[in-house]
Amino acid sequence: MRNRVRVALAIGCVLAMASVLLAPAALATDVTNRRTLELPEHLGLVDPATGLWHLEGLPAMFYGNPADVPFMGDWDGDGVDTPGLYRQSDGFVYLRNSNSQGIADVRFFFGNPGDLPLAGDFDGDGLDTVSLYRPAESRVYVINRLGSASQGLGVAESAFTFGNPGDVPFAGDFDGDGIDGVGVHRAATGLVYLKNGLAPGQADLAFVAARAGDRVVAGDWTGPWDCMDEFGCEETGLVDTLAAYRPAEGRFYVHDVNATGPGFETPVWGEADWMPVSGRFIRHPVDEVATAMVGAWTGTVELQFEMPPGVDRIWPMAIEFLADGTYTATGTDMPWAKFLGADPNVGSRTWTVHGVGGDGAFGELFIEGTAINPPDHAWLESIVVDGDRLTMEYSRAGAVLIQLERVS
């Protein structure tokens, strides 16, 4: 038996109607969807003069020497991005496996003096590695392994030309395929050029995402769903978009799509000479719940709104949470659950349980009822894993209840 694990999330409720009348309904035709439940990424700043790192949600820490080039990645596959440094004077890479002050856990030599680091998962194996961009050649050198013991890493596995001399590189998954591509920022114009593949050729996307002099990083700021307001959510997938750090203002401008636009500005919190980094810096409390949820479950979805006697308000549900952070749901055609009902006042209505962006992969799931304006919303308030029982409660006062039993 597994230990009892609980996470309670006071997110709030946005319910347009307190009472709904639903007729008997059935699940949609059998379709199996596989969705990734990952946490959004965060922003950080590093003072290269002192080696002081400022990561969202964490205490400031020292790591590195003055003039080291900072970056972040998940070097050990634990789901958390941690610091890396590239010492341009000698081509040494220094990686740390925790977001705390200390010496490097991994160190090796790669590249030539003056190269710029590119951290990312370039082969889709779930581990980040350190590749390089050689500004003088406008050339990317990709390698899918890490070195060790202060030894040389060896020859890159692939190389290709991309960009112009002087462009500044960054990496990200710009098309949501699970493999990072390469982007370059042309600092003089603010233009960025994104490439989804790791081969010669033209950019797949080009647009203005910054001003001259800005510094660009990439990350998944919203998670698989983008809800910019309380009444409208759309599926975005796990796609990295850009954030431009404006040194003159000490703030970021964060983009939720890869297209020309001003971005959403953050409060001022940096200095003109600080360098931006991005990544998933912490294991959120819901990670413990996510681990406990791994396995196959069956049970019911129950609507607890006011209904007339005899109205069917319970539907079957089957779902499997996988250890790699994804899940499959059979008998649904949307993430988690989808079921249909009828309201004599508004006609047919679809209720969908799905996820939105925020600080918790599970904590940001909500239920939405369509066919009214604005839609009904019920936000997830708690998840409890008690041995082989899984319970999810939604506002308002448990308006929706999902109860599951472990199958395996």
Side-chain angles (χ1 to χ4, degrees):
M1 296 287 287
R2 292 163 175 80
N3 293 330
R4 179 182 174 89
V5 183
R6 179 185 181 93
V7 57
L9 299 138
I11 298 175
C13 165
V14 186
L15 274 175
M17 296 177 62
S19 176
V20 290
L21 302 175
L22 295 181
L27 288 169
T29 57
D30 282 356
V31 177
T32 299
N33 282 328
R34 180 183 173 97
R35 304 285 180 176
T36 302
L37 295 176
E38 292 184 359
L39 298 183
E41 298 181 20
H42 297 88
L43 294 164
L45 288 166
V46 182
D47 181 356
T50 64
L52 188 62
W53 293 61
H54 305 265
L55 304 179
E56 247 185 311
L58 294 175
M61 64 180 185
F62 285 99
Y63 183 60
N65 292 344
D68 287 347
V69 180
F71 53 93
M72 301 196 75
D74 183 3
W75 321 120
D76 58 2
D78 67 351
V80 177
D81 293 313
T82 52
L85 297 167
Y86 188 72
R87 195 155 291 164
Q88 288 183 302
S89 61
D90 58 13
F92 262 88
V93 176
Y94 300 88
L95 307 179
R96 186 156 174 77
N97 287 326
S98 64
N99 286 314
S100 60
Q101 193 165 314
I103 63 173
D105 295 294
V106 179
R107 66 188 72 193
F108 56 89
F109 175 83
F110 183 45
N112 294 340
D115 288 346
L116 294 172
L118 273 172
D121 180 2
F122 299 110
D123 61 357
D125 68 351
L127 294 173
D128 290 332
T129 55
V130 182
S131 294
L132 296 171
Y133 185 77
R134 192 156 292 161
E137 303 174 358
S138 303
R139 194 163 179 80
V140 179
Y141 294 86
V142 178
I143 197 159
N144 292 317
R145 62 187 185 276
L146 297 175
S148 61
S150 298
Q151 301 297 309
L153 189 53
V155 178
E157 295 167 12
S158 63
F160 59 93
T161 301
F162 184 56
N164 291 344
D167 287 349
V168 180
F170 53 91
D173 184 0
F174 308 121
D175 60 357
D177 67 351
I179 299 175
D180 285 334
V182 176
V184 294
H185 171 223
R186 197 152 295 162
T189 63
L191 277 165
V192 294
Y193 300 85
L194 307 184
K195 189 170 182 56
N196 295 324
L198 299 173
Q202 299 294 316
D204 295 292
L205 284 173
F207 54 93
V208 177
R211 292 181 183 174
D214 287 355
R215 298 163 188 158
V216 173
V217 292
D220 181 8
W221 321 121
T222 63
W225 290 83
D226 180 18
C227 289
M228 300 311 298
D229 61 74
E230 62 189 9
F231 298 126
C233 295
E234 60 182 17
E235 187 176 11
T236 61
L238 295 166
V239 175
D240 289 339
T241 54
L242 307 186
Y245 179 66
R246 192 151 298 159
E249 300 178 12
R251 76 169 88 235
F252 284 92
Y253 288 82
V254 181
H255 297 256
D256 63 338
V257 294
N258 286 318
T260 297
F264 302 92
E265 65 179 60
T266 68
V268 174
W269 65 301
E271 301 292 341
D273 58 343
W274 290 8
M275 303 298 293
V277 293
S278 61
R280 182 183 176 188
F281 302 151
I282 60 173
R283 288 188 64 80
H284 193 275
V286 298
D287 288 348
E288 185 181 2
V289 175
T291 300
M293 291 172 72
V294 171
W297 305 79
T298 60
T300 59
V301 179
E302 179 180 359
L303 295 185
Q304 297 182 329
F305 300 108
E306 296 178 12
M307 295 182 182
V311 171
D312 185 0
R313 59 182 184 181
I314 299 176
W315 295 269
M317 180 178 183
I319 192 166
E320 181 177 8
F321 298 95
L322 307 178
D324 64 359
T326 63
Y327 64 87
T328 61
T330 302
T332 68
D333 60 1
M334 289 290 287
W336 287 75
K338 182 175 182 178
F339 39 94
L340 302 177
D343 185 322
N345 298 317
V346 298
S348 179
R349 182 185 309 191
T350 300
W351 290 87
T352 304
V353 185
H354 58 71
V356 302
D359 289 334
F362 300 104
E364 296 291 331
L365 296 171
F366 78 104
I367 284 185
E368 180 179 39
T370 62
I372 58 173
N373 187 23
D376 286 349
H377 288 67
W379 293 90
L380 177 64
E381 291 188 333
S382 70
I383 299 175
V384 177
V385 182
D386 187 1
D388 291 332
R389 290 179 177 269
L390 170 60
T391 304
M392 289 175 274
E393 295 185 82
Y394 292 76
S395 62
R396 169 188 62 92
V400 179
L401 181 67
I402 297 177
Q403 293 181 304
L404 305 172
E405 296 282 340
R406 186 182 297 276
V407 177
S408 63

